[in-house]
């Protein structure tokens, strides 16, 4: 009998271009790259509490996908206008699925979910992303660069 071992990072084999390192990658290493292959990404929070919005939503937006979101009832306070599909607003999963199919098959309707990208990162979304933990490395690099890089005297 042959034993089959299911590895958690097996999903990366579907996206060889996302494997940018020679070392053994983990499923989370190239999440943005894998998400960028899809029009829609499910973003389901662990809880549906007011203002509880996590990286699940932002990773999908950053990857260029349209998040189908289940979570914070005030999610619109944290995202650009018309950038997500709020799954809680649908009566049933069938109704949601029909809507997603219709949007996927209508290039104009799908493009409307990305219109905000032409205007740049605005409002609460911009402030939230600027202060989030996953942007710390980028913010540190920007600070070091502004201070003159490695040789900077004002670090």
């Amino acid at each position: 009998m042959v034993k089959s071992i299911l590895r958690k990072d097996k999903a990366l084999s579907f996206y060889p271009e996302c494997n940018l390192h020679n070392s053994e990658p983990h499923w989370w290493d190239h999440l943005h790259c894998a998400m960028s292959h899809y029009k829609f990404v499910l973003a389901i929070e662990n809880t549906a509490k007011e203002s509880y919005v996590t990286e699940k939503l932002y990773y999908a937006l950053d990857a260029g996908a349209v998040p189908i979101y289940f979570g914070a009832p005030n999610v619109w306070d944290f995202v650009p206008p018309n950038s997500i599909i709020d799954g809680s607003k649908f009566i049933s999963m069938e109704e949601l699925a029909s809507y997603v199919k219709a949007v996927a098959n209508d290039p104009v309707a799908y493009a409307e979910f990305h219109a905000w990208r032409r205007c740049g990162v605005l409002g609460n979304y911009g402030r939230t992303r600027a202060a989030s933990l996953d942007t710390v490395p980028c913010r540190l690099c920007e600070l070091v660069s502004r201070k003159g890089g490695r040789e900077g005297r004002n670090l």
Side-chain angles (χ1 to χ4, degrees):
M1 181 165 97
V2 177
K3 265 191 176 175
S4 164
I5 298 173
L6 181 62
R7 292 176 37 189
K8 291 181 180 177
D9 58 355
K10 176 79 171 142
L12 280 178
S13 66
F14 296 124
Y15 311 103
E17 68 279 9
C18 295
N19 188 3
L20 305 174
H21 304 291
N22 292 332
S23 62
E24 274 295 308
H26 299 287
W27 67 268
W28 59 82
D29 285 339
H30 306 293
L31 190 58
H32 287 95
C33 180
M35 284 183 174
S36 73
H37 288 80
Y38 296 94
K39 285 184 172 184
F40 305 95
V41 171
L42 281 173
I44 304 171
E45 302 291 6
N46 297 335
T47 185
K49 299 265 188 204
E50 195 82 9
S51 301
Y52 183 80
V53 177
T54 68
E55 78 286 349
K56 295 172 180 89
L57 174 62
Y58 296 122
Y59 285 174
L61 284 170
D62 291 349
V66 175
I68 302 170
Y69 183 76
F70 292 90
N74 65 330
V75 65
W76 293 105
D77 293 343
F78 301 95
V79 295
N82 197 39
S83 60
I84 69 168
I85 297 172
D86 185 351
S88 70
K89 302 301 181 206
F90 292 85
I91 295 170
S92 67
M93 288 297 122
E94 291 78 13
E95 182 185 43
L96 172 60
S98 292
Y99 179 74
V100 170
K101 280 183 181 179
V103 170
N105 292 320
D106 182 344
V108 174
Y110 183 73
E112 288 176 6
F113 283 95
H114 296 282
W116 66 274
R117 295 177 192 282
R118 291 189 300 271
C119 302
V121 179
L122 305 169
N124 285 343
Y125 175 69
R127 286 188 290 282
T128 302
R129 291 306 289 142
S132 70
L133 287 177
D134 65 313
T135 62
V136 168
C138 294
R139 289 185 282 144
L140 286 174
C141 286
E142 287 171 1
L143 176 65
V144 168
S145 179
R146 281 196 309 269
K147 299 289 185 177
R150 292 179 114 181
E151 306 305 319
R153 301 191 194 287
N154 298 326
L155 293 176

